[in-house]
Amino acid sequence: DVKVTQSSRYLVKRTGEKVFLECVQDMDHENMFWYRQDPGLGLRLIYFSYDVKMKEKGDIPEGYSVSREKKERFSLILESASTNQTSMYLCASSFGGRGNEQFFGPGTRLTVL
Amino acid sequence: AQTVTQSQPEMSVQEAETVTLSCTYDTSENNYYLFWYKQPPSRQMILVIRQEAYKQQNATENRFSVNFQKAAKSFSLKISDSQLGDTAMYFCALPIRGGSEKLVFGKGTKLTVNP
């Protein structure tokens, strides 16, 4: 079975802190994604990576950066956390190519105080 | 830009009955995939069903089937013989471009199956 894991289920941080969210997949997928999920807004793509060290901005990249140094690991970084970044963060991965299923992690619920 | 609209924020159905979740979308592409994903409470999101636009036959996966109407840009999900385990958020999704691996998701429909 494909497994996508995220470093924390719940995280509480203070405004201004630097926050790292880690995602690891074990199926040698080329693609990895970070989404933000908010009630009534669905899922919105923050960043997409299609290979090691390669990334593309999604719909809402402001305030976020990403790092993909190894194929299996994709990190989301909040350089200076703000209260409006309180949300559920979902990581996903997939094989390259059209129409491939995305496999999701369990999510990290981040609260910024 | 591609858009996906799910007009039913919440729905409920009795166990064993059939329910249909609606999804409409906008795209200028001719060939693309459409997806339905399911997110059970406190559990990981999983793929329910996918449809390739050039295929006229509607996709089916056990109790889940779609009604795909390309001209109308409609992609509804039918769940037959609803089970308590079908209680979840359901999201319709479409690639941002025909050949893209990035998806745009609808806002979701919260489905509750009642015993």
Side-chain angles (χ1 to χ4, degrees), chain A residues 39-104:
Chain A
L41 296 179
L43 275 71
R44 293 178 291 168
L45 181 67
I46 306 172
Y47 268 99
F48 161 58
S49 170
Y50 51 92
D51 201 350
V52 174
K53 298 188 188 293
M54 307 304 288
K55 62 186 180 185
E56 286 183 11
K57 292 181 180 179
D59 299 319
I60 52 165
E62 297 78 17
Y64 305 94
S65 62
V66 290
S67 172
R68 192 164 179 205
E69 297 296 319
K70 293 185 177 181
K71 191 174 185 179
E72 68 270 18
R73 188 179 298 269
F74 191 34
S75 302
L76 180 68
I77 303 152
L78 287 66
E79 296 289 343
S80 177
S82 63
T83 55
N84 63 12
Q85 293 178 310
T86 290
S87 187
M88 171 69 86
Y89 290 88
L90 297 180
C91 176
S93 69
S94 73
F95 285 115
R98 298 171 58 235
N100 286 317
E101 177 180 358
Q102 290 189 19
F103 294 85
F104 285 81

Side-chain angles (χ1 to χ4, degrees), chain B:
Chain B
Q2 323 285 69
T3 59
V4 177
T5 302
Q6 294 180 247
S7 58
Q8 305 147 314
E10 293 192 40
M11 296 187 72
S12 63
V13 64
Q14 292 299 122
E15 200 174 2
E17 292 187 349
T18 295
V19 63
T20 298
L21 282 58
S22 67
C23 173
T24 58
Y25 61 93
D26 190 22
T27 180
S28 58
E29 305 283 341
N30 189 47
N31 193 18
Y32 46 89
Y33 283 85
L34 289 158
F35 304 86
W36 278 100
Y37 280 88
K38 168 186 177 181
Q39 186 181 38
S42 301
R43 292 176 59 191
Q44 287 165 247
M45 182 134 21
I46 58 173
L47 178 68
V48 176
I49 200 164
R50 105 189 83 189
Q51 173 85 38
E52 189 162 6
Y54 84 87
K55 291 186 178 177
Q56 294 188 344
Q57 186 171 8
N58 289 324
T60 299
E61 290 286 344
N62 300 313
R63 298 181 296 106
F64 297 87
S65 61
V66 299
N67 182 5
F68 173 52
Q69 298 182 18
K70 191 174 183 181
K73 295 181 181 174
S74 172
F75 183 59
S76 59
L77 176 69
K78 186 171 87 170
I79 306 173
S80 304
D81 186 26
S82 297
Q83 300 177 359
L84 297 178
D86 296 333
T87 291
M89 284 290 295
Y90 287 82
F91 294 95
C92 179
L94 167 74
I96 62 166
R97 291 181 303 278
S100 177
E101 294 141 301
K102 294 189 283 188
L103 300 178
V104 58
F105 286 80
K107 295 182 179 179
T109 296
K110 183 179 181 181
L111 176 67
T112 301
V113 180
N114 299 307

Side-chain angles (χ1 to χ4, degrees), chain A residues 17-34:
Chain A
E17 281 192 78
K18 191 169 186 175
V19 181
F20 292 87
L21 303 183
E22 303 282 337
C23 175
V24 177
Q25 51 94 4
D26 66 357
M27 278 301 290
D28 203 34
H29 285 164
E30 292 85 3
N31 296 333
M32 295 189 76
F33 307 81
W34 275 108

